[in-house]
Amino acid sequence: MFLAVDTVFDQCSVAIVNEQLQTLSCHTQTGKREQTQQILPMIDAALQQARIKLADLTALIFNRGPGPFSGIRINTAVVQALAVAHDLPCVGVSSLAAIAQAAHDQYGVERVYTALDARMNQVYFAEYQLQYCEKNDINIAEGIKAQAVMSLVDETPEQSMDYQQTTAKHLAIAGNGASLLTAHDGQRLYPDVYPDALSLAKLGIAHYHRFGGVPAEQALPVYLRNDAWKTLKQQGKA
């Protein structure tokens, strides 16, 4: 059994799923202001509903980012603490992969660009293709274009990216950053795709079966922006 936790998508989402991808518990609360107060009680409630203990779990699955710094920090810290306390392996899942998975589950999209609003006139961006996972008998989002930070305004050639010159117009864009891009004519946009912990669980379980998990000290976040932990003033943007 696997516990999946997300506090990155302006929400708290917790799911417990077994190896056959049957959902034993899943709850999501929107809003990011009370995440630190919400997440542990939600995990306790999920365990009670599934009638298991943390020691019964196979691994912990968490959203490693990219995304809002505070959400990633909360997500990672909670999972690391639980992993240390109960000697459980961790599996980090990309937030962009989770968007691609949710786009497939909600709209049947098989190949998609994912775009997550990174603020400061930027989006986190990647490309995914659905691949069949025989072990779990489901389609799983696999990355085929590396995660990157895309600038929405021209700064320097190294910092900006011409979306229409470098992307295929027949591929849909999913995620809350989709509406920020200048899409090709007729290109499908799915800005309302918000993954929950079940999307993470599907990806995390498939990853665990292929590669296993890592100990708590190696369960690290992915920010993409190296200065994400700094204030806007420290970054020279205020």
Side-chain angles (χ1 to χ4, degrees):
M1 290 175 285
F2 299 81
L3 170 66
V5 179
D6 171 53
T7 61
V8 174
F9 291 108
D10 290 349
Q11 64 184 8
C12 279
S13 186
V14 175
I16 296 177
V17 180
N18 66 18
E19 194 170 22
Q20 291 73 41
L21 295 179
Q22 296 173 320
T23 303
L24 305 182
S25 179
C26 182
H27 297 282
T28 299
Q29 296 183 22
T30 58
K32 59 183 179 181
R33 296 186 180 276
E34 304 297 330
Q35 287 173 314
T36 53
Q37 289 78 31
Q38 290 175 340
I39 190 63
L40 290 177
M42 288 180 67
I43 291 174
D44 286 340
L47 292 168
Q48 291 178 21
Q49 182 177 9
R51 298 182 179 180
I52 63 171
K53 299 178 181 178
L54 279 166
D56 299 325
L57 294 171
T58 302
L60 303 173
I61 299 167
F62 71 103
N63 188 338
R64 69 170 187 248
F69 172 73
S70 59
I72 299 174
R73 182 183 60 187
I74 294 167
N75 207 102
T76 305
V78 167
V79 168
Q80 286 177 331
L82 295 177
V84 169
H86 299 277
D87 193 25
L88 292 170
C90 304
V91 179
V93 173
S94 164
S95 58
L96 297 177
I99 292 173
Q101 188 66 44
H104 170 70
D105 294 343
Q106 295 176 29
Y107 295 104
V109 178
E110 294 188 0
R111 186 170 175 179
V112 63
Y113 296 120
T114 57
L116 180 62
D117 187 358
R119 312 300 180 187
M120 297 186 290
N121 289 316
Q122 294 178 325
V123 295
Y124 301 117
F125 187 82
E127 181 181 348
Y128 290 89
Q129 170 72 54
L130 269 293
Q131 300 288 342
Y132 179 67
C133 178
E134 185 175 359
K135 174 70 175 181
N136 303 109
D137 191 28
I138 60 170
N139 290 318
I140 296 296
E142 294 280 355
I144 58 176
K145 184 185 287 290
Q147 297 180 142
V149 182
M150 181 191 296
S151 178
L152 301 177
V153 294
D154 291 333
E155 297 174 0
T156 70
E158 293 77 19
Q159 295 173 314
S160 62
M161 176 177 177
D162 188 332
Y163 173 78
Q164 291 196 332
Q165 291 295 321
T166 57
T167 58
K169 63 183 179 180
H170 67 279
L171 295 186
I173 317 171
N176 69 357
S179 57
L180 301 176
L181 299 172
T182 302
H184 297 280
D185 291 341
Q187 192 168 29
R188 293 170 297 157
L189 302 181
Y190 299 109
D192 59 334
V193 171
Y194 280 90
D196 59 12
L198 286 178
S199 300
L200 294 175
K202 292 177 181 179
L203 293 164
I205 293 172
H207 185 281
Y208 181 83
H209 285 148
R210 292 170 63 185
F211 307 107
V214 298
E217 63 270 19
Q218 295 179 31
L220 302 176
V222 173
Y223 296 115
L224 291 189
R225 283 197 297 237
N226 293 331
D227 59 358
W229 56 273
K230 298 180 180 178
T231 65
L232 291 178
K233 184 177 181 179
Q234 290 172 320
Q235 296 175 40
K237 298 180 181 293

